Amino acid sequence: MIVQRVHPDAVTLMSVIHACSSLSSFQHARFVHGLIVRSFFRNQLELQTALVDLYVKCGSLVYARKVFDKMKERNIISWSTMISGYGMHGFAGEALKLFDQMKALVKPDHITFLSVLSACSHCGFIEEGWECFNSMNRDFKVIPRPEHYACMVDLLGRAGKLNDALDFIQRMPILPDAGVWGALLGACRIHSNTELAEVAAKHLFELDAENPGRYVLMSNIYASSGKQKHADEIRDLMKLRGVRKTAGHTVIEIKNKVYTFVAGDKSHHQSDLIYSELEKVMNRIRVEGYKPDLKFVLHNVEEEMKEKMLYVHSEKLAIVFGLLNSGPETVIRIKKNLRVCGDCHTAIKFISKVTGREIVMRDSYRFHHFKAGTCSCGDYW
């Protein structure tokens, strides 16, 4: 359009913003931001709110907040988007501060409360989460929906209060849906509670039978607890029902071009260089104290093979590619379509330490900001 000198309007830019959000493309976000700043559209509020959301999804809260602070007017969506952004990135304190500012100006709705509850869940703010949940109907006449109940189950479950989470489900005034049972199953994985996981999985295999993630999670829970026979049975059930596992991949953007990696990927033209550098990086972090966590390899193979399988996870390959192809001060931004595994999370902390690089990862659950050997999630994820 631009080459042919057709000037984009607000609708065009909203479509482009949506595309950039899907890719988590920070460089494209900056380009679109420039176009909006140089243009004078009537619906600046909608575009600026979309920009805030775009920067959040591209891993830059700094730019998101800059756009938010410069907005001449804000609506409930604008406030909720920024609050949700802080929650996704693990900054529940900032989310709650902004929520307090919002309440003085705008009445929150069910989306706002979902953003705040999610923020509390990601950071283990149990008291604040309860207060937020209880205030919905009491103070603002907002009736909790299934997703709010799911957030509360997630909040309690992540904190290790699994029995409280189950009791909460049993006392719900509405029928628990797949989101509620899914939150419990996820918490059972974190805390290795096979018994409760079986309860949650039973409901999920009926309510959400086509979702491969439910089967994979239950199979992994069995495998990590040494119940390989049960894990295989879940995999067989998937095949019987024709449910296919989602393949994991990691995306990275370098010089306005997007690259995708899968585990053990050797299709890239720099594969030899990537694997050579990967070996050097893994040796460096081993010296710093990294030890591969073999429990995240759920295949029944020798330990040496398990280590090799961990080394070539897509996250590690994408990061090494980023190290090779960007300047020493550049933030490395990657996006994983599934939840980052525990071993990769530990390894990336060490990589950020030995390379001095900041690494921002967006996975299917939240954002992780790795810097100088630590992660913004505080290992609570």
Side-chain angles (χ1 to χ4, degrees):
M1 272 182 82
I2 292 170
V3 168
Q4 295 187 19
R5 297 184 181 179
V6 179
H7 192 67
D9 62 7
V11 176
T12 313
L13 290 175
M14 288 294 281
S15 299
V16 174
I17 287 172
H18 180 70
C20 294
S21 296
S22 298
L23 286 173
S24 301
S25 174
F26 180 71
Q27 294 304 320
H28 285 94
R30 299 284 291 123
F31 172 73
V32 175
H33 188 181
L35 279 179
I36 292 171
V37 169
R38 291 191 297 273
S39 305
F40 296 94
F41 299 113
R42 291 180 185 175
N43 44 356
Q44 281 287 318
L45 175 59
E46 288 83 356
L47 283 170
Q48 288 174 329
T49 300
L51 263 180
V52 172
D53 183 59
L54 173 57
Y55 277 127
V56 164
K57 289 176 178 173
C58 291
S60 180
L61 282 180
V62 172
Y63 277 96
R65 187 59 194 255
K66 282 181 179 178
V67 175
F68 181 80
D69 288 340
K70 287 182 179 179
M71 294 177 73
K72 293 181 179 179
E73 60 174 319
R74 302 183 186 111
N75 59 16
I76 193 169
I77 301 172
S78 312
W79 285 98
S80 299
T81 301
M82 194 67 240
I83 290 168
S84 175
Y86 278 123
M88 287 173 63
H89 287 262
F91 299 100
E94 293 298 325
L96 290 170
K97 274 186 199 174
L98 208 59
F99 183 49
D100 287 338
Q101 292 176 31
M102 174 190 175
K103 286 187 292 185
L105 300 168
V106 182
K107 179 188 173 184
D109 64 1
H110 66 281
I111 295 173
T112 315
F113 279 108
L114 187 61
S115 300
V116 177
L117 287 173
S118 178
C120 292
S121 175
H122 281 311
C123 297
F125 284 22
I126 296 177
E127 289 183 15
E128 293 85 347
W130 270 119
E131 173 55 30
C132 175
F133 182 78
N134 291 331
S135 72
M136 288 179 64
N137 192 16
R138 182 190 67 206
D139 301 332
F140 300 98
K141 306 305 177 191
V142 176
I143 306 298
R145 301 185 181 191
E147 53 266 35
H148 300 105
Y149 287 102
C151 266
M152 289 304 296
V153 172
D154 191 54
L155 173 67
L156 294 168
R158 283 178 185 272
K161 298 179 178 292
L162 293 173
N163 290 328
D164 290 347
L166 181 60
D167 182 60
F168 179 83
I169 293 172
Q170 292 170 341
R171 290 187 293 105
M172 283 173 54
I174 59 175
L175 199 64
D177 67 358
V180 172
W181 290 114
L184 182 63
L185 184 63
C188 290
R189 176 198 51 77
I190 295 170
H191 298 287
S192 304
N193 190 315
T194 308
E195 186 179 339
L196 270 185
E198 290 173 337
V199 174
K202 181 181 177 182
H203 290 279
L204 287 168
F205 293 162
E206 295 174 3
L207 293 169
D208 201 15
E210 300 300 314
N211 188 333
R214 312 303 192 187
Y215 299 89
V216 172
L217 193 52
M218 190 64 229
S219 176
N220 290 350
I221 290 170
Y222 276 135
S224 61
S225 64
K227 297 182 177 181
Q228 192 59 48
K229 181 182 176 182
H230 290 76
D232 292 340
E233 288 172 354
I234 297 296
R235 299 281 178 167
D236 290 340
L237 180 62
M238 284 183 71
K239 292 178 184 177
L240 183 65
R241 294 184 173 182
V243 180
R244 299 185 65 180
K245 179 184 175 183
T246 303
H249 67 261
T250 300
V251 171
I252 183 170
E253 180 186 10
I254 299 290
K255 297 175 183 176
N256 292 328
K257 189 173 180 181
V258 176
Y259 300 86
T260 302
F261 291 86
V262 297
D265 200 336
K266 292 192 176 179
S267 63
H268 196 278
H269 70 279
Q270 288 187 341
S271 281
D272 291 343
L273 183 59
I274 291 169
Y275 277 84
S276 173
E277 185 65 21
L278 175 63
E279 187 174 351
K280 294 175 186 175
V281 169
M282 297 308 290
N283 287 335
R284 287 177 69 187
I285 67 175
R286 272 183 172 278
V287 171
E288 288 292 326
Y290 162 76
K291 293 181 181 179
D293 195 337
L294 302 183
K295 75 171 181 285
F296 289 101
V297 178
L298 301 169
H299 301 279
N300 192 16
V301 294
E302 296 294 328
E303 288 205 0
E304 185 179 348
M305 180 57 69
K306 286 186 177 183
E307 282 196 33
K308 289 180 179 178
M309 291 173 76
L310 284 175
Y311 278 15
V312 296
H313 277 192
S314 62
E315 300 96 311
K316 297 184 180 84
L317 295 176
I319 288 169
V320 170
F321 177 68
L323 291 171
L324 289 169
N325 292 278
S326 60
E329 303 298 321
T330 308
V331 176
I332 294 175
R333 303 176 191 274
I334 63 174
K335 177 186 175 184
K336 176 78 184 281
N337 68 322
L338 303 175
R339 185 182 188 272
V340 60
C341 90
D343 177 76
C344 281
H345 189 270
T346 300
I348 297 169
K349 286 195 296 182
F350 278 102
I351 293 171
S352 72
K353 181 180 180 181
V354 300
T355 62
R357 300 287 285 273
E358 182 179 353
I359 302 167
V360 178
M361 167 183 273
R362 174 186 174 185
D363 70 6
S364 60
Y365 285 78
R366 60 175 297 161
F367 280 85
H368 299 266
H369 295 251
F370 300 92
K371 193 172 184 179
T374 62
C375 179
S376 59
C377 74
D379 298 334
Y380 190 91
W381 53 287

